[in-house]
Amino acid sequence: MAALRTAVPVLALLGLCLGPAAAATPLVIWHGMGDSCCNPVSMGYIQKLVEKKIPGIYVLSLKIGSNLIQDMENSFFMNVNDQVSEVCSQLATDPHLKGGYNAMGFSQGGQFLRAVAQRCPSPPMLNLISIGGQHQGRVYGFPRCPGESSHICDWIRKTLDLGAYTKAVQEHLVQAEYWHDPLKEEDYRKNSIFLADINQERGINETYKKNLMALKKFVMVKFLNDTMVDPPISEWFGFYKSGQAKETIPLQETSLYKEDRLGLQEMDKAGKLVFLGVKGDHLHFSEEWFDSTILPFLQ
């Protein structure tokens, strides 16, 4: 009995020291082109999957606009810089996120969330997971179009062909804002109002660099059979060798990396960059792959 009486206070003390289990880190999701925050077969499915696998987690699937239709339309037509500002405001006023959060972007949502990391460090983004994001942009094609938006994409193709870097197109067409033409590098650097800015093409913003380097991990997923993104290596921050559109180079051979304009070289050497490949076309992956490969970065 004496031994039992002694053990009780010890166990109670241990309980006080350990405290309650740590709450799961919140997750912020940003959908891709032609999608919406809560589509039951895309972002809604992902949100439920994460909530099932990580009980108690708070998941914010970003909606840009007052309803799902506006959210989808804004993925084509709302200035990306305005979208990023709107998201920064949403995150700053959400009490669930004040201690920090993980972020997961799908397709263009990947580079948009990177802009959030670079421009809006409060609340802090801890890990950034980019699933099919085009961090060096995309060019040519638009071979496929998501959802029921084929007529919109037909119009976008024609508009981009006519003048992706004109002021009117840049300010009102989302896809033009990360359009990167390797045959028109000077036009891109001078006139791209979004991607050229966050990729430090016109000068070094030390705040962008400092904020991105604060990430614990920057995970980039490339779809190995991607027919939608040209070039697919953009999903790993690579691109075409300048001045032509056939030969591609990896991130480590780009001037962005060699000059370390974003801190990616330093992050790479520190083990903060993670390059993942998955078999399949753009945004095509299995639940098993997601569970085994992506969930560990959220737990």
Side-chain angles (χ1 to χ4, degrees), residues 267-279:
M267 292 176 73
D268 196 15
K269 291 177 178 177
K272 289 187 171 186
L273 300 186
V274 180
F275 301 90
L276 301 176
V278 57
K279 292 181 179 179

Side-chain angles (χ1 to χ4, degrees), residues 151-167:
H151 62 291
I152 296 178
C153 284
D154 288 339
W155 180 84
I156 289 175
R157 288 187 192 99
K158 294 176 183 177
T159 303
L160 291 170
D161 287 342
L162 288 172
Y165 298 122
T166 61
K167 183 177 180 181

Side-chain angles (χ1 to χ4, degrees), residues 142-189:
F142 253 60
R144 292 192 299 107
C145 203
E148 302 300 320
S149 309
S150 58
H151 62 291
I152 296 178
C153 284
D154 288 339
W155 180 84
I156 289 175
R157 288 187 192 99
K158 294 176 183 177
T159 303
L160 291 170
D161 287 342
L162 288 172
Y165 298 122
T166 61
K167 183 177 180 181
V169 174
Q170 280 289 309
E171 291 183 350
H172 300 290
L173 182 57
V174 166
Q175 288 66 41
E177 295 173 45
Y178 57 88
W179 198 251
H180 186 174
D181 190 335
L183 304 180
K184 298 179 180 178
E185 287 283 359
E186 188 58 34
D187 285 344
Y188 159 69
R189 281 191 290 269

Side-chain angles (χ1 to χ4, degrees), residues 241-277:
K241 185 178 287 187
S242 185
Q244 50 84 60
K246 292 184 179 180
E247 184 181 354
T248 60
I249 55 175
L251 166 64
Q252 289 77 5
E253 293 181 23
T254 64
S255 60
L256 176 68
Y257 185 91
K258 291 177 179 179
E259 298 168 8
D260 211 17
R261 300 197 303 264
L262 269 177
L264 293 171
Q265 182 185 135
E266 191 169 336
M267 292 176 73
D268 196 15
K269 291 177 178 177
K272 289 187 171 186
L273 300 186
V274 180
F275 301 90
L276 301 176

